[in-house]
């Protein structure tokens, strides 16, 4: 086994951001931002080079560190999945970098500001850690990569140094540490059973014995805690809503994808024959719970950033729906196919749309000095581009054509129909409706005319507005990119059928109805006897969801939930064979 | 019972005790210490696996020791970060509890709606 041509690019994808981190710290102050900009351009070019090399060779790019082959050495590998994720992350990082130039510029007359220096260096650190997650070929390197990712993400939460955000950061760190130690315990058990941690070697040797099943359950549960899948989400809403907008975009769009990607790697590449159908159904079941809980609680929020954070919770649920759809009952194994393609596309589409949404929320916050949704009247006139960005990102999240999420949804629906699992079809449609409802709610408030025109308290940077808009547009137009792939070319064409138009209308009207029924507060003009009668019956279940969320986010409950999820996964893997 | 089994059982006990502490103990500092107990349990387990030589058929396996050192460094860095966050939190808030008092949490919103 040797390194493939272009293998060195993988090393550079990991190293260049970290060199940027060190240079940023060494030079400090204003220079850190310039270093970050140069590194972002270089990193983007590297991602493009890796993508073109991958297309040219059509095979997995690999690199053996020091020329030592596994099991003694460590291999870096980038298959199509990793390359696609790296490219998408690079695009989002560029968008966030451009957006954050105004928010995290070192103020004039100051040599160095803590928030700016921390943000730019940690942005690069997160990028490097994510690239390492994508290209790592062994379970221990992945552990280190995940910890790097967490250590870089936690300080971003508390950049402003308020007690509330420090508390959110500490909760995040402690819960993530509990998750990663469970992952490490699983990895240690795997080493004990097989004497290697290299994923390619493990995939050949792995058998479904008790040690492997225990390890699989522990690793998966630990990673779920880091991904914040319901009911393991206690840290996510305060952390993502409390961070500055550019940091929220990084945390919500990118960081949760790291641990999610690792679960995909484990289940599809290392343990495809070890995981069972009930275990896959359990993962997707938690995903469905996340979609329902996250979306309904999002509707109950009064602050826009918390609403967007809860919507992330729901979108994380979407990412787990593909597991049972990818399960081939005949072979009793997970198969890479349309379901995995759909899930990956969903992740990429969400990364772009959610980053754009947090950016738009940040700009609205900056202009108004608050982000209370009930006080948004007149924003539509004051910040038309930003409200449009929010709307487009919302459309992309809902999965309207030609967004990437539309193609993803189509692929997943096809997989559900092919395997006869109609219930996931229902979950996906319900999720689209609920997403539509909070997007409609925010837009209705923002487009309500104000009594007096809104004057931005602080000037909003036009460059930042355009960066957010561009990312939202990327997510919305991602469908056209997928149309260039021969196997996916006809998916988007199906969007032109009349039945699709009906589906869009149903989505929009259903979303409005749900928003009226479940929202915390409606615009003042949306009032009447019918609305009140409807809300009298619907407000109780919505409140029950909010209460359930509050209970699940208490520390002991979340801790025991983590153990319960690990045990349930273990049982599902034993019972299903 | 050979030494490796004994160490394995001790590791299981450490992991169990530590996990209990992380979940049940409300004080952040004790959570951090309990996390270190879990970590020690995992490291002892890895040591026991190295001693057993695993499936490689060696008398003793040196690879886990190299990984262990890295693991210990990572756990140390995590502890340092957590303790620093805790100190800053104590400075800012005057107390160091994890109980969140955000006004718009589910419970508070529910209470407001009932009024």
């Amino acid at each position: 086994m040797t390194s493939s041509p272009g293998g060195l690019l993988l090393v550079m994808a990991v190293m260049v951001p970290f060199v940027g981190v060190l240079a940023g710290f060494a030079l400090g102050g204003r220079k850190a931002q310039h270093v970050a900009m140069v590194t972002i351009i270089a990193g983007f070019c590297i991602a493009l080079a890796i993508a073109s090399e991958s297309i040219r060779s059509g095979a997995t790019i690999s690199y053996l560190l020091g020329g030592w082959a596994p099991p003694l050495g460590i291999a870096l590998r980038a298959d199509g999945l990793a390359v696609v994720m790296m490219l998408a992350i690079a695009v989002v990082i560029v968008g966030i970098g451009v957006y954050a130039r105004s928010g995290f510029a070192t103020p004039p007359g100051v040599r160095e500001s803590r928030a700016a220096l921390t943000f730019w260096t940690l942005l690069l650190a997160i990028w490097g850690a994510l690239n390492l997650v994508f290209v790592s070929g062994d379970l221990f390197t992945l552990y280190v990569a995940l910890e790097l990712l967490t250590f870089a993400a936690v300080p971003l939460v508390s950049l402003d140094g308020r007690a509330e955000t420090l508390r959110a950061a500490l909760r995040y760190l402690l819960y993530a540490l509990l998750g990663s130690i469970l992952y490490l315990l699983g990895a240690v058990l795997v080493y004990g059973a097989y004497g290697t941690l290299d994923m390619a070697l493990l995939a050949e040797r792995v058998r479904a014995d008790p040690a492997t099943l225990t390890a699989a359950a522990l690793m998966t549960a630990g990673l779920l805690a880091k991904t914040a899948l319901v009911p393991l989400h206690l840290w996510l809403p305060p952390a993502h809503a409390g961070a500055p907008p550019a940091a929220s975009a990084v945390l919500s769009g990118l960081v949760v994808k790291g641990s999610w990607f690792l679960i995909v790697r484990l289940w599809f590449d290392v343990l495809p024959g070890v995981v069972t159908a009930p275990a896959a159904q359990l993962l997707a079941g938690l995903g469905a719970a996340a979609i329902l809980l996250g979306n309904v609680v999002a509707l109950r929020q009064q602050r826009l950033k918390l609403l967007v954070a809860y919507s992330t919770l729901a979108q994380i649920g979407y990412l787990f729906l593909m597991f049972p759809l990818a399960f081939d009952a005949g072979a009793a194994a997970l198969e890479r196919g349309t379901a995995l393609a759909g899930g990956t596309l969903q992740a990429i589409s969400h990364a772009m749309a959610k980053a754009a949404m947090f950016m738009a929320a940040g700009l609205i916050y900056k202009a108004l000095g608050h982000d209370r949704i009930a006080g948004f009247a007149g924003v539509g006139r004051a910040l038309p581009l930003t409200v449009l960005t929010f709307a487009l990102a919302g459309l992309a999240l809902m999965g309207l054509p030609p967004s990437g999420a539309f193609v993803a949804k189509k692929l997943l629906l096809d997989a559900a129909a092919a395997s006869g699992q109609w219930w996931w079809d229902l979950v996906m449609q319900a999720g689209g409706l609920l997403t539509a409802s909070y997007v409609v709610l925010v837009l209705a408030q923002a487009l309500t005319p104000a009594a007096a025109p809104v004057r931005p308290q602080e000037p909003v940077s036009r460059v930042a507005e355009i960066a957010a808009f561009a990312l939202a547009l990327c997510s919305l137009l991602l469908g056209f990119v997928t149309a260039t792939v021969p196997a996916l070319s006809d998916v988007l064409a199906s969007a032109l059928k009349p039945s699709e138009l009906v589906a869009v209308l149903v989505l929009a009207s259903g979303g409005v109805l749900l928003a009226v029924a479940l929202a915390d507060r409606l615009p003042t003009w949306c009032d009447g006897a019918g609305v009140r009668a409807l809300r009298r019956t619907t407000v109780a279940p919505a409140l029950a969801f909010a209460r359930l969320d509050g209970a699940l986010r208490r520390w002991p409950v979340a801790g025991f939930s983590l153990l319960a999820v690990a045990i349930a996964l273990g049982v599902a893997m034993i019972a299903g064979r | 019972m050979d030494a490796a089994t004994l160490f394995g059982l001790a590791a299981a006990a450490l992991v169990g005790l530590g996990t209990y502490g992380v979940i049940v103990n409300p004080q952040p500092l004790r959570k951090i210490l309990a996390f270190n107990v879990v970590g020690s349990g995992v490291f002892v387990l890895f040591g026991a696996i190295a001693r057993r030589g695993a499936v490689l058929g060696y008398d003793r396996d040196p690879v886990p020791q190299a990984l262990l050192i890295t693991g210990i460094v990572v756990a140390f860095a995590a502890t340092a970060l957590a303790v620093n966050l805790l100190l800053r939190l104590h400075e800012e808030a005057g107390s160091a509890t994890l109980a969140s008092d955000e006004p718009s949490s589910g419970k508070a919103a529910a209470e407001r709606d009932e009024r």
Side-chain angles (χ1 to χ4, degrees):
Chain A
M1 197 156 100
T2 52
S3 303
S4 67
L8 207 58
L9 284 170
L10 302 184
V11 181
M12 282 168 66
V14 176
M15 255 181 64
V16 165
F18 284 117
V19 169
V21 171
L22 295 178
F25 267 124
L27 297 173
R30 205 173 301 280
K31 296 207 182 75
Q33 186 184 338
H34 302 312
V35 169
M37 282 301 151
V38 172
T39 315
I40 287 174
I41 295 167
F44 187 71
C45 294
I46 293 170
L48 284 180
I50 292 175
S52 76
E53 171 61 27
S54 172
I55 292 169
R56 191 191 61 77
S57 68
T60 300
I61 306 172
S62 63
Y63 185 83
L64 301 180
L65 292 178
W68 293 84
L72 204 54
I74 293 172
L76 301 181
R77 293 191 195 94
D79 54 354
L81 184 64
V83 172
V84 166
M85 289 302 290
M86 279 165 88
L87 195 58
I89 296 295
V91 170
V92 179
I93 292 265
V94 169
I96 292 173
V98 173
Y99 173 85
R101 276 173 63 93
S102 58
F104 283 107
T106 308
V110 182
R111 260 193 65 234
E112 182 171 299
S113 79
R114 188 179 54 87
L117 179 67
T118 315
F119 176 80
W120 290 110
T121 47
L122 290 185
L123 178 67
L124 297 181
I126 283 179
W127 196 7
L130 273 172
N131 280 344
L132 187 57
V133 168
F134 297 143
V135 302
S136 285
D138 84 76
L139 296 181
F140 192 81
T141 312
L142 279 167
Y143 165 72
V144 177
L146 272 179
E147 289 298 58
L148 267 176
L149 188 60
T150 308
F151 295 169
V154 165
L156 281 186
V157 172
S158 56
L159 271 182
D160 64 2
R162 283 180 299 129
E164 190 191 331
T165 58
L166 284 165
R167 200 172 283 129
L170 192 58
R171 275 161 83 94
Y172 177 16
L173 178 61
L174 287 176
Y175 204 66
L177 284 179
L178 188 57
S180 48
I181 206 78
L182 287 188
Y183 170 82
L184 183 63
L185 182 56
V188 165
L189 288 176
V190 166
Y191 187 88
Y194 303 102
T196 181
L197 290 166
D198 184 74
M199 291 201 286
L201 290 177
L202 278 174
E204 295 165 9
R205 298 181 189 177
V206 77
R207 8 166 243 278
D209 55 10
T212 313
L213 293 175
T214 313
L218 286 172
M219 285 194 282
T220 311
L223 292 170
L224 289 178
K226 295 193 117 172
T227 318
L229 182 64
V230 167
L232 313 176
H233 63 289
L234 91 158
W235 58 267
L236 188 143
H240 285 194
S248 299
V250 179
L251 293 170
S252 218
L254 308 181
V255 173
V256 290
K257 306 294 185 300
S259 42
W260 168 80
F261 182 85
L262 189 41
I263 298 179
V264 174
R265 266 267 181 273
L266 275 181
W267 281 50
F268 280 87
D269 291 350
V270 183
L271 308 162
V274 172
V275 295
T276 58
Q281 296 281 352
L282 177 65
L283 268 195
L286 294 179
I291 291 173
L292 196 60
L293 186 80
N295 278 328
V296 173
V297 179
L299 270 175
R300 304 296 304 166
Q301 299 306 318
Q302 294 154 21
R303 288 182 40 214
L304 182 59
K305 285 185 75 185
L306 266 170
L307 182 148
V308 183
Y310 271 100
S311 118
T312 297
L313 211 58
Q315 299 294 331
I316 289 170
Y318 268 105
L319 300 180
F320 287 91
L321 292 183
M322 67 169 171
F323 286 92
L325 303 179
F327 198 85
D328 183 349
L334 281 179
E335 295 284 339
R336 278 170 167 243
T338 46
L340 179 60
T344 312
L345 197 52
Q346 191 101 50
I348 293 169
S349 176
H350 174 254
M352 292 171 177
K354 190 45 63 74
M357 217 177 213
F358 260 119
M359 292 173 178
L363 291 173
I364 293 176
Y365 188 105
K366 199 174 169 195
L368 292 182
H370 70 81
D371 67 341
R372 287 186 306 279
I373 300 165
F376 275 6
V379 174
R381 177 147 298 177
L383 297 173
L385 186 58
T386 296
V387 172
L388 181 63
T389 302
F390 189 92
L392 292 185
L395 292 182
L397 284 183
M398 277 182 235
L400 290 192
S403 69
F406 169 78
V407 178
K409 203 163 153 186
K410 273 276 170 238
L411 292 174
L412 290 174
L413 289 176
D414 285 351
S419 57
Q421 303 183 55
W422 51 268
W423 52 93
W424 299 125
D425 196 328
L426 283 186
V427 170
M428 274 181 264
Q429 305 293 5
L433 274 182
L434 284 161
T435 309
S437 66
Y438 61 75
V439 175
V440 166
L441 178 73
V442 172
L443 289 180
Q445 294 278 18
L447 296 178
T448 303
V454 175
R455 296 208 187 290
Q457 295 196 338
E458 273 184 68
V460 168
S461 152
R462 178 60 67 163
V463 176
E465 277 197 300
I466 292 172
F469 180 72
L471 267 189
L473 215 55
C474 277
S475 183
L476 197 62
L477 301 180
L478 195 59
F480 290 120
V481 179
T482 63
T484 59
V485 181
L488 305 177
S489 55
D490 52 340
V491 177
L492 195 60
S494 70
L496 295 172
K497 277 190 269 179
S499 63
E500 281 301 324
L501 188 65
V502 175
V504 169
L505 287 177
V506 169
L507 196 65
S509 48
V512 171
L513 196 65
L514 274 174
V516 169
L518 299 174
D520 179 67
R521 215 177 284 180
L522 292 172
T524 42
W525 46 265
C526 179
D527 199 9
V531 170
R532 282 194 200 146
L534 176 67
R535 281 172 67 81
R536 259 197 294 281
T537 53
T538 53
V539 108
L543 276 181
F545 273 104
R547 270 204 207 98
L548 176 65
D549 172 63
L552 285 177
R553 290 204 294 111
R554 293 230 298 276
W555 186 282
V557 180
F560 283 115
S561 302
L562 178 54
L563 295 186
V565 167
I567 292 169
L569 276 169
V571 170
M573 285 189 204
I574 293 167
R577 65 185 59 256
Chain B
M1 189 191 297
D2 62 346
T5 314
L6 191 65
F7 272 92
L9 288 175
L14 283 176
V15 171
L17 286 172
T19 311
Y20 178 82
V22 173
I23 294 174
V24 172
N25 210 309
Q27 293 179 17
L29 185 59
R30 296 203 177 176
K31 277 194 202 298
I32 296 170
L33 293 177
F35 158 74
N36 275 281
V37 175
V38 186
S40 306
V42 175
F43 300 146
V44 171
L45 178 68
F46 217 3
I49 285 170
R51 176 67 178 265
R52 224 180 39 176
V55 284
L56 291 180
Y58 296 150
D59 182 24
R60 263 146 231 192
D61 182 358
V63 174
Q65 301 189 7
L67 299 182
L68 260 176
I69 296 288
T70 316
I72 289 171
V73 171
V74 171
F76 173 73
T79 310
L81 180 58
V83 167
N84 261 303
L85 271 176
L86 188 59
L87 285 174
R88 265 308 292 276
L89 176 62
H90 192 267
E91 247 171 55
E92 289 290 325
S95 70
T97 57
L98 284 177
S100 69
D101 42 359
E102 41 175 324
S104 47
S105 73
K107 202 173 160 211
E111 278 164 5
R112 185 181 46 75
D113 275 315
E114 276 162 3
R115 259 188 266 126

